[in-house]
Coordinates of all heavy atoms in Angstrom, one line a residue:
C85 N 16.7 23.9 0.4 CA 16.3 25.2 1.0 C 16.5 25.1 2.5 O 16.6 26.2 3.2 CB 14.9 25.6 0.6 SG 13.6 24.4 1.0
V88 N 20.6 25.4 3.3 CA 21.3 26.7 3.2 C 20.7 27.8 4.1 O 21.3 28.8 4.2 CB 21.3 27.2 1.7 CG1 22.0 26.3 0.8 CG2 19.9 27.4 1.2
C89 N 19.6 27.5 4.7 CA 18.9 28.5 5.4 C 19.6 28.9 6.7 O 19.8 28.0 7.6 CB 17.4 28.1 5.7 SG 16.6 29.4 6.7
P90 N 20.1 30.1 6.9 CA 20.8 30.4 8.1 C 19.9 30.3 9.4 O 20.4 30.0 10.5 CB 21.3 31.9 7.9 CG 20.4 32.4 6.9 CD 19.9 31.3 6.0
I91 N 18.6 30.5 9.2 CA 17.7 30.5 10.4 C 17.5 29.0 10.7 O 17.6 28.6 11.9 CB 16.4 31.1 10.1 CG1 16.5 32.5 9.5 CG2 15.5 31.1 11.3 CD1 17.3 33.5 10.4
Y92 N 17.2 28.2 9.7 CA 17.0 26.8 10.0 C 18.2 26.1 10.6 O 18.1 25.3 11.5 CB 16.6 26.1 8.7 CG 16.3 24.6 8.9 CD1 15.1 24.3 9.5 CD2 17.2 23.6 8.6 CE1 14.7 22.9 9.7 CE2 16.8 22.3 8.8 CZ 15.6 22.0 9.4 OH 15.3 20.6 9.6
Y100 N 10.3 23.7 13.8 CA 9.4 23.7 12.7 C 8.2 22.8 13.0 O 7.2 23.0 12.3 CB 10.1 23.3 11.4 CG 10.9 24.5 10.8 CD1 12.0 25.0 11.6 CD2 10.6 25.0 9.6 CE1 12.7 26.1 11.1 CE2 11.3 26.1 9.1 CZ 12.4 26.6 9.8 OH 13.1 27.7 9.4
G106 N 12.6 23.8 6.6 CA 13.2 24.7 5.7 C 12.2 25.8 5.2 O 11.1 25.9 5.6
A107 N 12.7 26.4 4.1 CA 11.9 27.5 3.5 C 10.5 27.0 3.1 O 9.5 27.6 3.3 CB 12.6 28.1 2.4
L110 N 7.8 26.6 5.7 CA 7.1 27.8 6.2 C 5.9 28.0 5.4 O 4.9 28.6 5.9 CB 8.0 29.0 6.1 CG 9.4 28.9 6.8 CD1 10.2 30.3 6.7 CD2 9.3 28.6 8.3
N128 N 10.1 32.8 10.6 CA 11.5 32.3 10.7 C 12.2 32.5 9.4 O 12.9 31.6 8.8 CB 11.5 30.8 10.9 CG 11.5 30.5 12.4 OD1 11.8 31.3 13.2 ND2 11.0 29.3 12.7
C129 N 12.2 33.7 8.8 CA 12.8 34.0 7.6 C 13.4 35.4 7.6 O 12.7 36.4 8.0 CB 11.8 33.9 6.4 SG 12.5 34.5 4.9
I130 N 14.7 35.5 7.3 CA 15.4 36.8 7.4 C 15.5 37.4 6.0 O 16.1 38.4 5.8 CB 16.8 36.6 8.0 CG1 17.3 37.9 8.6 CG2 17.8 35.9 7.1 CD1 18.5 37.8 9.5
N131 N 14.9 36.7 5.0 CA 14.8 37.2 3.6 C 16.2 37.3 2.9 O 16.5 38.2 2.2 CB 14.2 38.6 3.6 CG 13.8 39.0 2.2 OD1 13.4 38.2 1.4 ND2 13.8 40.3 1.9
C132 N 17.1 36.3 3.2 CA 18.4 36.3 2.7 C 18.5 35.8 1.2 O 19.5 35.9 0.6 CB 19.4 35.5 3.6 SG 19.1 33.7 3.4
Q133 N 17.4 35.2 0.8 CA 17.3 34.7 -0.6 C 18.2 33.5 -0.9 O 18.3 33.0 -2.1 CB 17.7 35.8 -1.6 CG 17.1 37.1 -1.4 CD 15.6 37.2 -1.9 OE1 15.4 36.7 -3.0 NE2 14.8 37.9 -1.2
A134 N 18.8 32.9 0.1 CA 19.7 31.7 -0.1 C 18.9 30.5 -0.7 O 19.3 29.8 -1.6 CB 20.4 31.3 1.1
C135 N 17.7 30.3 -0.1 CA 16.8 29.2 -0.5 C 16.5 29.3 -2.0 O 16.5 28.4 -2.7 CB 15.6 29.1 0.4 SG 14.7 30.7 0.5
R136 N 16.1 30.5 -2.4 CA 15.7 30.7 -3.8 C 16.9 30.4 -4.7 O 16.7 29.9 -5.8 CB 15.2 32.2 -3.9 CG 14.7 32.4 -5.3 CD 14.2 33.7 -5.6 NE 13.6 33.6 -7.0 CZ 13.4 34.6 -7.8 NH1 13.6 35.8 -7.3 NH2 12.9 34.4 -9.0
L145 N 10.8 31.3 -3.1 CA 10.4 30.9 -1.7 C 10.3 32.2 -0.8 O 9.3 32.3 -0.1 CB 11.5 30.0 -1.1 CG 11.4 28.6 -1.8 CD1 12.8 27.9 -1.8 CD2 10.4 27.7 -1.1
P146 N 11.3 33.1 -0.8 CA 11.1 34.3 0.1 C 9.8 35.1 -0.2 O 9.2 35.5 0.7 CB 12.4 35.1 -0.2 CG 13.4 34.2 -0.8 CD 12.5 33.2 -1.6
I149 N 6.9 33.2 1.1 CA 6.9 33.2 2.6 C 6.2 34.5 3.1 O 5.4 34.5 4.0 CB 8.3 33.1 3.2 CG1 8.9 31.7 2.9 CG2 8.3 33.4 4.7 CD1 10.4 31.5 3.1
Ligands
LIG501 S1 15.2 33.6 2.6 FE1 16.9 33.0 3.8 S2 16.1 33.0 5.9 FE2 14.3 33.0 4.5 S3 13.8 30.9 4.3 FE3 15.1 31.4 2.6 S4 17.1 30.8 3.3 FE4 15.8 30.9 5.1

Side-chain angles (χ1 to χ4, degrees):
C85 59
V88 297
C89 177
I91 309 301
Y92 184 74
Y100 282 62
L110 305 182
N128 275 337
C129 172
I130 200 166
N131 196 31
C132 74
Q133 313 277 325
C135 50
R136 188 180 180 199
L145 292 151
I149 291 167

